[in-house]
Amino acid sequence: MTEKQLRDLMGGMTLEEKVGQLVQCGAGQFIQNSMEITGPEGEMLPAEELNRVMGSVLTFEDASQAKALQDKHLAADRNKIPLLLMLDVIHGLRTTYPIPLAMGCSFDDDLMTECADMARRESAACGVHVTFNPMVDTARDPRWGRILETNSEEPLVNARMGAALVRATQGNDLSDPENVACCVKHFAGYGAPEAGRDYNTVDMSERQLRETYLPAYKACLDAGARLIMPSFNALNGIPSVANKWLMNRVLRDEWGFRGVVISDFNAVGELVAHGMAENLKEAARLAMEAGCDIDMMQNAYYLHLKDLIAEGAVSEEMLDAAVLRVLRLKNELGLFENPYHGADEEKEKAVYLCPAHREIARRAAEESAVLLKNEGILPLSRTLKKIALIGPFARERHLVGFWSRPGAWKDAVTIPEGIGAILPDCELVMEDGCGAEIGDADGSGIERAVAAAREAEAVILALGEPEGDSGEGRSRAELTLPGLQTELARRVIAANPRTAVVLFNGRPLVLTELEKVAPAILEMWYPGTEAGSACARLLFGLANPCGKLSAGMPRSVGQCPLPYNRMNTGRPKPGPDGVPVPFSSCYLDMGNLPLYSFGHGLSYTTFEYEDLKLSGDTMQAGGSLQAVVTVKNTGEKAGKEVVQLYMRDPVASVVRPVQQLIDYRKISLAPGETAQVAFTVTEAQLRFWNFDCECVSEPGMFELSTGYADHLKLTRSFRLI
Ligand code: NOJ
């Protein structure tokens, strides 16, 4: 349709019909649905009444449901305006790839593209028009259960991976039924709730917000994302969905965003609970004024917008502008011509869990695993005849993590299945040892586990957090392995020191006690459908670990939040970490550094870095220079290395971080092979938000280093003139 046709269509709509375009309901109101919804359904109106006018629906199961929903609606809507069908496809639809935090550990934008591409194919076949992805909330506090949904504690990684996902999902032409529109979320600062408690308030300086939290959303919008979702939290006192500064000034005016804003689940209604609005009607007005186009899962708009317009409290122009944005999106998706978009039952059968998709998921699981520690235990020999596979995750199939489809876990490969495919003749003795639930104090299985460990040639100890313990509404105040798992590890490792621990969890955990006893720890996160295959291949050396932590692992929950790019202080702690220095910025009872830093990750081979060279010792404003480092594979196995480039601005008009990642590249090296890795460093990368909230660079010295957080090496300086 042309813009004129869209406007004419809108011109012929009643007020109620226009308001309907801004209403989003759960599919479960109209069809039988087993999908989980993540909030209260609110006061729902009769389904027939809604179906006639509503503009969009969320959370449906498959192509046949997508078609049924569309048919039912189009039969009732006199204007024949197709529904927008939206779904949370966060890390795959039927073929699940690793959780986003794990994907961040791959530091591999191309791999992200491949995974997003696979999710796009499956989503399109399912009939999805809009996915509520990417989530790019920078998060630095693992107590927050939704840290699992973000790629990293580092905004640069979130920006690059988020943008890669948007490009792969949307393609060049949204009317192509193979493409799906992206909704970036949660705008803004949702990843910084006080004390890591989900939905909690966020209070931070504008400078901090702009420097650390906003860039990733902006990068996704620059990559073309058509929708954005304001966050649940209050940001500096105003919930995002009603935050005019954030939504009108920053998003629409400064960034020029022309797409659709959709509230989070019942977030408009929650303005009442926030104490911002006296009732739902006022909530509807506040959200409209802040430019929120669609009201997800509440009837604030449906019940009150008409009256608000009649009373002159909301202008009809404002309503029209929002409706037009929604209609334009439908038009761009080609829905007026093809309301099913890509929904196709045959295609679903062809693409869901197809071998090519499983292969991508397996590779992603391998590349996002992080070898935290290895004292000569891994890889395990493929000649082993008897292995004890111990722990609550030993036979677990729930390895896909939050935001996977109900039942997706059933398609996941378990560890014994993965090992069986590689070593069919190896005897596996399996014992749970204990449970993994918070507060589970049943140690009655530990003795059996110890006995099994003693009699085996080697032990694989699979520990972690139950799938449901990280994700939305899943904050934790303790970050140790739940239940008796650490005790199980102590006992099993004492019985057989040839033990490799593998971990399945959705957040950085406090592994301080485990680290003291475990000779090898492989962090698998929730790896998705190919969990067991990837895990087995890594354990037995058919794949070489290359993941690096995308968020540091604290020594204690008391250190949180613990960003690697912490700010300088006036009393920095000199000397070795862990030794308190009187009257310096330190703890009396613990070091300042995490147990495992951001960017840490081992391999079965070793890499040496030498000779970081800069193309010059000065940089002009608006200019750039090259930083080249030589990396050599000094071990005996082929391996991949994530080469990380850090920057420090030692003197500036505002306090700067002690280290900041400014670029990364993943390379592959054969044994003995050497590569020269070149980074272009531009003046734009040296910029920061100054006291007056202007993004500037300041002349002076800068330092560039390789290595990883808190373990920088080969530092070189240059001057910006
Ligand atoms: C609530 C979550 O915060 C959001 O991320 C999600 O997209 C919506 N529910 C829809 O399921």
Side-chain angles (χ1 to χ4, degrees):
M1 279 208 216
T2 61
E3 174 76 8
K4 171 155 188 330
Q5 285 170 314
L6 287 180
R7 284 175 186 270
D8 288 348
L9 172 65
M10 188 174 72
M13 288 162 73
T14 65
L15 209 49
E16 189 203 15
E17 287 166 345
K18 287 199 278 192
V19 169
Q21 287 303 309
L22 311 187
V23 174
Q24 176 161 100
C25 312
Q29 275 182 277
F30 311 98
I31 45 167
Q32 273 289 15
N33 193 341
S34 64
M35 303 290 281
E36 192 188 10
I37 56 162
T38 55
E41 291 242 24
E43 178 200 341
M44 278 301 157
L45 295 177
E48 292 311 310
E49 196 179 313
L50 276 177
N51 181 42
R52 208 166 38 80
V53 293
M54 70 188 173
S56 61
V57 152
L58 87 160
T59 310
F60 59 100
E61 273 169 74
D62 51 27
S64 88
Q65 285 197 0
K67 289 180 176 174
L69 283 161
Q70 198 66 280
D71 289 345
K72 205 167 170 177
H73 167 73
L74 286 173
D77 180 0
R78 72 176 186 102
N79 297 306
K80 306 288 171 225
I81 301 175
L83 287 174
L84 272 173
L85 301 181
M86 308 200 190
L87 191 64
D88 289 283
V89 184
I90 307 300
H91 51 117
L93 192 127
R94 269 306 285 279
T95 316
T96 312
Y97 60 86
I99 54 167
L101 189 67
M103 287 302 293
C105 296
S106 76
F107 282 85
D108 190 335
D109 307 348
D110 295 337
L111 184 67
M112 185 73 245
T113 299
E114 271 190 271
C115 287
D117 222 29
M118 151 174 105
R120 172 188 57 73
R121 282 190 290 271
E122 296 194 2
S123 305
C126 174
V128 180
H129 305 153
V130 175
T131 169
F132 297 117
N133 207 22
M135 186 282 214
V136 286
D137 299 322
T138 295
R140 303 148 140 206
D141 190 333
R143 288 174 295 181
W144 189 51
R146 298 195 80 170
I147 195 170
L148 146 158
E149 285 175 58
T150 197
N151 287 130
S152 180
E153 69 167 79
E154 166 49 53
L156 175 73
V157 182
N158 286 335
R160 275 171 55 168
M161 289 209 160
L165 187 144
V166 169
R167 283 191 288 267
T169 309
Q170 294 194 155
N172 294 326
D173 173 10
L174 275 184
S175 72
D176 183 337
E178 288 287 314
N179 292 336
V180 172
C182 284
C183 175
V184 184
K185 64 191 189 184
H186 307 84
F187 189 61
Y190 183 45
E194 272 181 13
R197 189 156 45 74
D198 205 4
Y199 316 119
N200 204 6
T201 208
V202 176
D203 228 286
M204 65 168 70
S205 69
E206 183 180 342
R207 209 159 56 73
Q208 164 85 311
L209 183 72
R210 287 190 182 269
E211 184 155 313
T212 306
Y213 291 88
L214 296 190
Y217 309 110
K218 172 81 163 47
C220 294
L221 297 181
D222 289 346
R226 298 297 199 278
L227 299 93
I228 192 163
M229 183 189 291
S231 51
F232 282 125
N233 56 282
L235 177 66
N236 296 336
I238 319 265
S240 298
V241 76
N243 195 320
K244 290 187 202 164
W245 176 83
L246 185 68
M247 307 256 282
N248 293 338
R249 184 139 144 227
V250 176
L251 180 66
R252 299 273 191 212
D253 297 347
E254 249 179 67
W255 295 358
F257 180 65
R258 299 274 165 269
V260 171
V261 174
I262 176 166
S263 84
D264 203 342
F265 199 112
N266 189 32
V268 179
E270 286 172 19
L271 289 172
V272 178
H274 270 291
M276 282 286 299
E278 215 169 299
N279 50 40
L280 215 51
K281 185 171 175 183
E282 198 182 351
R285 179 178 62 77
L286 290 172
M288 271 309 274
E289 282 172 357
C292 173
D293 299 321
I294 300 180
D295 177 10
M296 181 198 290
M297 290 305 284
Q298 243 301 354
N299 290 313
Y301 282 8
Y302 191 76
L303 294 173
H304 301 292
L305 265 188
K306 242 167 68 178
D307 289 348
L308 285 165
I309 288 166
E311 292 158 16
V314 169
S315 71
E316 194 159 352
E317 291 73 54
M318 200 181 254
L319 172 74
D320 286 357
V323 172
L324 210 51
R325 284 192 283 267
V326 173
L327 293 180
R328 283 196 196 115
L329 178 62
K330 293 183 175 185
N331 190 39
E332 220 195 326
L333 282 157
L335 298 183
F336 289 102
E337 294 76 27
N338 175 15
Y340 293 161
H341 201 56
D344 183 333
E345 291 88 339
E346 288 309 307
K347 262 212 183 120
E348 280 184 300
K349 281 188 211 136
V351 293
Y352 286 174
L353 297 165
C354 65
H357 284 191
R358 278 189 170 270
E359 200 269 333
I360 296 170
R362 196 207 73 226
R363 235 174 339 105
E366 288 170 9
E367 305 239 344
S368 52
V370 183
L371 183 59
L372 295 173
K373 178 174 179 182
N374 189 17
E375 288 176 346
I377 297 288
L378 290 173
L380 296 171
S381 160
R382 271 171 266 156
T383 61
L384 291 172
K385 292 278 165 285
K386 184 171 181 178
I387 296 175
L389 179 50
I390 296 173
F393 286 81
R395 314 168 237 216
E396 184 57 86
R397 204 177 287 283
H398 282 93
L399 300 172
V400 289
F402 204 85
W403 287 127
S404 45
R405 278 168 76 91
W409 62 273
K410 292 183 197 149
D411 300 316
V413 179
T414 63
I415 306 180
E417 287 165 356
I419 297 177
I422 301 175
L423 303 176
D425 300 328
C426 179
E427 185 190 347
L428 289 179
V429 183
M430 292 187 264
E431 288 291 343
D432 290 349
C434 65
E437 278 71 38
I438 294 172
D440 188 335
D442 179 5
S444 58
I446 293 184
E447 281 313 322
R448 277 198 310 279
V450 168
R454 209 171 277 130
E455 281 163 27
E457 290 170 84
V459 180
I460 298 168
L461 183 56
L463 309 175
E465 277 184 306
E467 252 188 341
D469 283 2
S470 39
E472 186 179 346
R474 286 5 190 227
S475 295
R476 285 183 64 194
E478 299 285 356
L479 293 175
T480 45
L481 284 163
L484 297 177
Q485 294 185 88
T486 307
E487 177 58 17
L488 174 70
R490 256 189 226 112
R491 300 279 312 279
V492 164
I493 294 164
N496 189 338
R498 291 200 57 76
T499 295
V501 176
V502 282
L503 295 174
F504 298 91
N505 47 291
R507 53 158 61 83
L509 293 172
V510 168
L511 301 175
T512 310
E513 293 307 310
L514 180 71
E515 195 270 345
K516 286 181 189 156
V517 292
I521 308 176
L522 178 66
E523 174 59 80
M524 291 294 302
W525 310 107
Y526 295 121
T529 309
E530 289 293 321
S533 335
C535 182
R537 285 169 48 83
L538 287 162
L539 288 174
F540 291 95
L542 293 172
N544 190 351
C546 59
K548 307 281 181 186
L549 285 180
S550 58
M553 294 218 175
R555 284 178 190 278
S556 158
V557 76
Q559 294 179 311
C560 297
L562 184 58
Y564 85 92
N565 52 354
R566 60 194 175 275
M567 290 294 160
N568 237 329
T569 69
R571 294 192 175 190
K573 188 173 77 60
D577 194 53
V579 182
V581 176
F583 300 103
S584 73
S585 178
C586 68
Y587 299 104
L588 290 180
D589 50 357
M590 179 167 303
N592 286 358
L593 298 186
L595 181 65
Y596 296 115
S597 293
F598 173 83
H600 165 75
L602 305 171
S603 162
Y604 296 153
T605 189
T606 46
F607 297 97
E608 251 169 43
Y609 286 60
E610 53 191 35
D611 209 17
L612 176 62
K613 279 204 186 90
L614 307 188
S615 58
D617 51 15
T618 57
M619 190 196 280
Q620 309 282 340
S624 66
L625 57 72
Q626 290 264 311
V628 185
V629 65
T630 304
V631 185
K632 182 169 186 193
N633 181 345
T634 48
E636 267 139 41
K637 292 195 168 69
K640 292 185 180 175
E641 171 73 339
V642 178
V643 184
Q644 306 165 42
L645 187 68
Y646 289 83
M647 185 262 277
R648 191 168 87 93
D649 183 352
V651 181
S653 61
V654 290
V655 173
R656 304 301 303 139
V658 299
Q659 54 198 346
Q660 186 188 344
L661 185 75
I662 57 163
D663 208 345
Y664 56 87
R665 176 122 18 96
K666 194 173 191 176
I667 57 166
S668 264
L669 290 178
E673 198 187 350
T674 296
Q676 299 235 306
V677 182
F679 295 100
T680 302
V681 180
T682 66
E683 183 257 341
Q685 284 168 297
L686 312 181
R687 293 184 196 156
F688 59 90
W689 293 85
N690 69 12
F691 188 77
D692 297 321
C693 252
E694 299 151 344
C695 192
V696 296
S697 62
E698 291 175 350
M701 294 306 289
F702 287 83
E703 291 171 4
L704 295 175
S705 311
T706 56
Y708 65 100
D710 309 313
H711 299 77
L712 301 184
K713 51 189 172 192
L714 304 181
T715 300
R716 298 286 176 273
S717 306
F718 68 94
R719 178 178 289 280
L720 177 69
I721 47 178

